């Protein structure tokens, strides 16, 4: 007989080059898409309407990119971050193929770096995680690093390996998750804005205006939908003795909320093509109200296609702080109230 | 560069005859139908069972009529009522065609009336909104009026135009959203009651008995599902300084709740064919418990068909007040605790 | 004119041998399956992935067994337990056929026993309820008994009839809801554990480790999804004067939560084949955190098939009490904090 419950992996269990196959393949359906709408209220027309999606060249409305991201990340939790002290960052997240209702996602991770912490009690584990569909086609990959406890503090650690990760995804790697579009058929009445790629310029700043208050039931429904089992999100009995005293909301929930809020100002940014970097600056708990604003930081055409172009966007989300004064960085770091600092690429019709 | 966020339209931006196309076409799915069941607990058998629906002549179970209504109304919010001070009423709401999972709805509105308020700071905007499916077929239309702020108080206003709206939809306009039914195959065991159209008479009053307490997460999930972005429903940070100090629940949520409660007494009223008038007498907030009762106010056969007949129903919903004493109108207006006064037509098998 | 609302049946209304057809046939969809995932976070791979289900011999991912159970039980409430004082137990619950998205369930109950309580004010009603699909095929049946009020206390009662119910379902009655599986294609990476039927032994005890806090919105969404109308779950206005002062959570919600938690330790127990006995030891209310642990109490091969074997499991769920010390029975009864004591059979690949 063996121990049957999953204790998760500790720092000692990882080695560079190791590949982990994660459990629970997941068929995504229109049921998941409906829940995604109910949870965030997203209004990007391509994901909302089969008719509009078909008119421009999709076989049907694709699944929201961040729903794909959350489902893939959720699968990695039991193997990568069950014993994590902190999730430290993401990089080089690229969407490679569209996902449609009926597609089945599974996930693997490769360990690409390991570095013991200075106190010897834990270490940073760097992985590159990949989500694939039922045909084995890669739909998403991203690098992520987390601080993971050692099983035995002071246990010997391997030589440090720190992967070289790009600060940003190169623009010529964007767009594989979007078929060539007939953008003449893209209806800017239907999409909610006449502002297309050509109408945005680097340096532009947009307050997304609206605020959304979060409830315990909402973030737990979302996080379970992703089959993400990280304990801090669900167990108030245990969290009561945590330093926050509260369930902590899955960081990806904040990303999806900020993305839904960003519709008001970026309505034609129908595809999130890549995440360059993401930082959860402060935790979010139920009862807080989330606001967001964005700065356009770069603008690139895509090589070999003139249907869509890329905008690099930096979105700051706040809690209990409207964004009309665009709170972002100060000399001491992030402004008070900022909870998310996300650097990503979106595509817009040209 | 333009301002990218939607400021909504102000009173000055409307003109009689103006047609507005609303954003975000929406494909409805069985996922939306499942959420509708989870949110309200509706038990009308035709919408619940493909087998029963097919037996009587539908191609499959149709989408709940009020889900169609909420989705269409939600689309109109960014253009019509983002700057509304108050939603004043509905009239002449008629369902024209059934909606099935897979259908895609879009919406337009025509301005049919404008009237400045006496203080010159706002005006009443009357619109007729229409929801259409992917074939351009009209599935629903209704008149609605709201008080909308001016951008500049005191700005000049056009000559008042007040549309003539009927107090009730004529019975011969009902039923287009229901195929001719083989009511011999309508199973009153399955539907939950043997009481059919012939068993109801004008003047009859029915306490729907059950009460349902509402939570913040529930009404926000619903309202986001409809992609309705009206701020008062979502933003507790802003609402804290509002006169109620709370998020206000979307009025349509109350209508759907009352309709679901009305199953207990009107189990065979499977189709809501028209709304004659609706008034939200008082706001509902989370934590309140909703009850409902109904009076049958009229009864009409439908011309050219004897499969179904129409009942005109007036349903009162209350908060924190059971309806065994049928609280409705008093000499001073609505009885204490009444939150909804809805006058509508339902169809029942004969 | 008749009274149109359903008063429910009282003890006097039942007679042994009576068959009740329950209302509201229900087509289950991928929307219901998505909500089931969002509500409980279940991770059993067969129900999660069409690809994995097909690889081993299902036509597609089946609907979660307990979702089937809850939907069937929900239909019986208006006729059996609307006037129940207490739900006393279940027995002989057997799953007979798989249920897939698109299937339509309906339910009937036969009265199999009646016994007046000693004070003459109520009586125990024993029913065998059956859920069937659109082809009339039985998918589930179970015995259940509840204490139901008399309409008139002291009304005469029939001779007592107490049905003989087995303490456990015989192992040779298990497995009809599972097609013969190609277990060579069963992927234990995908399922989350390499521990199969051969790896478990009677006497083994497993702490499922994780805890899940419950919110009002969650249990009400679930219970409405099942179209279960029992009043104690929904009406805080009425419950405020109940002895608990709170909405009571549907017992089946606890069963589904415990089953989802049991994944951590029983990941390959993909099918709940039968429930031998279930007892809700104490009520659960929102804000409580649920934990669970299990003991393997028996282990049987299935006659005529060697693809899967049966494990008999006894799962205890607790509230606000982690299960590392395996709280179960004491000399005085159930240990403090125990809310559920469930005896059931699961199938696992061999």
């Amino acid at each position: 007989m063996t121990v049957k419950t999953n204790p998760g992996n500790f720092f000692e269990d990882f080695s560079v080059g190791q590949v982990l196959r994660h459990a629970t393949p997941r068929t995504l359906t229109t049921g998941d898409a409906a829940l995604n709408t109910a949870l965030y209220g997203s209004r990007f027309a391509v994901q909302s309407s089969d008719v509009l999606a078909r008119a421009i060249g999709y076989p049907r409305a694709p699944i929201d990119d961040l729903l794909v991201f959350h489902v893939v990340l959720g699968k990695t939790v039991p193997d990568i971050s069950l014993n994590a002290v902190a999730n430290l960052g993401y990089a080089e997240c690229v969407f490679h193929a569209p996902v449609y209702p009926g597609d089945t996602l599974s996930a693997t991770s490769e360990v690409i770096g390991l570095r013991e912490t200075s106190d010897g009690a834990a270490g940073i584990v760097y992985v590159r995680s990949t989500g694939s569909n039922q045909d084995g086609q890669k739909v998403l990959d991203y690098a992520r690093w987390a601080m993971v406890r050692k099983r035995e503090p002071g246990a010997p650690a391997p030589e440090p390996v720190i992967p070289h990760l790009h600060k940003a995804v190169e623009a010529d790697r964007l767009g594989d998750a979007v078929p060539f579009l007939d953008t003449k058929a893209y209806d800017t009445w239907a999409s909610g804005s006449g502002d297309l790629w050509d109408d945005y310029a680097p340096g532009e700043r947009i307050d997304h205006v609206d605020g959304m208050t979060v409830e315990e039931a909402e973030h737990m429904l979302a996080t379970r939908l992703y089959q993400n089992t990280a304990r801090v999100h669900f167990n108030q009995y245990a969290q009561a003795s945590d330093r926050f005293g509260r369930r902590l909301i899955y960081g990806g929930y904040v990303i999806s909320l900020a993305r839904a809020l960003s519709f008001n100002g970026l309505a034609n940014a129908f595809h999130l093509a890549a995440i360059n970097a993401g930082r959860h600056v402060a935790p979010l708990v139920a009862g807080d109200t989330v606001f967001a604003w964005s700065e356009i930081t770069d603008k690139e055409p895509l090589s070999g296609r003139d249907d869509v172009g890329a905008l690099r966007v930096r979105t700051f989300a706040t809690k209990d702080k409207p964004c009309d004064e665009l709170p972002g960085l100060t000399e001491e770091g992030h402004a008070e109230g900022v909870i998310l600092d996300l650097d990503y690429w979106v595509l817009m019709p040209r």
Side-chain angles (χ1 to χ4, degrees), chain A:
Chain A
M1 252 185 288
T2 59
V3 170
K4 302 296 199 303
T5 47
N6 173 27
N9 288 309
F10 292 86
F11 183 71
E12 300 95 308
D13 299 319
F14 294 100
S15 57
V16 172
Q18 180 186 7
V19 174
L20 299 103
R21 285 184 57 199
H22 306 301
T24 320
R26 175 81 151 82
T27 303
L28 288 171
T29 68
T30 54
D32 299 300
L35 270 159
N36 189 65
T37 303
L39 288 162
Y40 304 111
S42 184
R43 290 182 284 153
F44 295 101
V46 170
Q47 285 75 24
S48 181
S49 167
D50 282 340
V51 171
L52 185 140
R54 280 193 200 107
I56 60 173
Y58 284 92
R60 63 185 298 186
I63 294 281
D64 183 284
D65 305 298
L66 287 171
L67 176 52
V68 172
F69 176 79
H70 299 322
V71 165
V72 170
L73 190 143
K75 303 198 172 324
T76 71
V77 167
D79 301 315
I80 305 297
S81 49
L82 212 57
N83 299 306
V85 184
N87 288 298
L88 299 174
Y90 319 103
E92 299 184 2
C93 172
V94 180
F95 291 85
H96 298 285
V99 177
Y100 300 104
D103 285 354
T104 299
L105 301 185
S106 53
T108 59
S109 295
E110 180 179 353
V111 180
I112 57 171
L114 288 170
R115 182 167 66 80
E116 194 183 18
T117 53
S118 54
D119 66 1
I124 298 173
V125 179
Y126 298 80
V127 295
R128 184 176 305 281
S129 297
T130 303
S132 302
N133 67 17
Q134 65 281 357
D135 301 321
Q137 187 181 16
K138 183 158 71 174
V139 300
L140 169 74
D141 68 351
Y142 62 88
R144 176 184 167 219
W145 54 106
M147 190 184 300
V148 176
R149 283 200 303 276
K150 286 187 184 174
R151 186 178 285 105
E152 297 178 41
E159 283 299 296
V161 175
I162 299 175
H164 175 69
L165 296 171
H166 294 81
K167 283 202 188 299
V169 175
E170 303 275 318
D172 63 9
R173 296 189 60 206
L174 306 176
D176 288 350
V178 175
F180 278 83
L181 300 184
D182 177 7
T183 47
K184 284 190 305 295
Y186 188 84
D187 177 344
T188 54
W189 281 107
S191 72
S193 167
D195 291 316
L196 297 172
W197 185 74
D198 290 309
D199 301 304
Y200 289 83
E204 192 169 356
R205 296 169 158 214
I206 302 164
D207 173 17
H208 301 307
V209 179
D210 303 306
M212 182 73 73
T213 306
V214 178
E215 301 295 319
E216 300 282 13
E218 294 170 345
H219 76 84
M220 294 199 295
L221 285 169
T223 310
R224 285 187 299 245
L225 186 70
Y226 315 140
Q227 298 172 310
N228 179 329
T229 60
R231 293 160 188 172
V232 295
H233 310 315
F234 298 114
N235 184 338
Q236 182 56 42
Y237 180 87
Q239 290 305 110
S241 53
D242 176 83
R243 67 187 165 117
F244 295 105
R246 296 288 301 278
R247 282 164 277 178
L248 303 184
I249 293 177
Y250 163 52
Y253 190 86
V254 182
I255 296 178
S256 274
L257 260 190
R259 167 90 170 131
L261 292 172
S262 80
F263 179 88
N264 195 356
L266 289 166
N268 289 313
F270 69 95
H271 174 54
L272 197 163
I275 298 175
N276 299 310
R279 182 158 167 219
H280 297 293
V281 176
L284 179 73
V285 298
D288 292 342
T289 301
V290 176
F291 299 84
W293 70 276
S294 296
E295 178 169 354
I296 309 301
T297 58
D298 196 0
K299 179 175 178 174
E300 296 286 347
L302 297 193
S303 61
R305 60 192 297 179
D306 56 10
D307 53 343
V308 293
L311 295 179
R312 188 171 170 187
V313 182
R314 186 170 185 179
T315 295
F316 294 89
T318 60
K319 62 178 175 189
D320 294 344
K321 187 182 184 80
C323 289
D324 46 334
E325 294 181 10
L326 309 176
L329 292 171
T330 66
E331 291 192 1
E332 291 88 44
H334 285 91
E336 179 155 351
V338 172
I339 58 174
L340 172 73
D341 179 350
L342 190 72
D343 175 353
Y344 58 109
W345 287 103
V346 292
L347 301 193
M348 270 198 195
R350 297 181 61 168

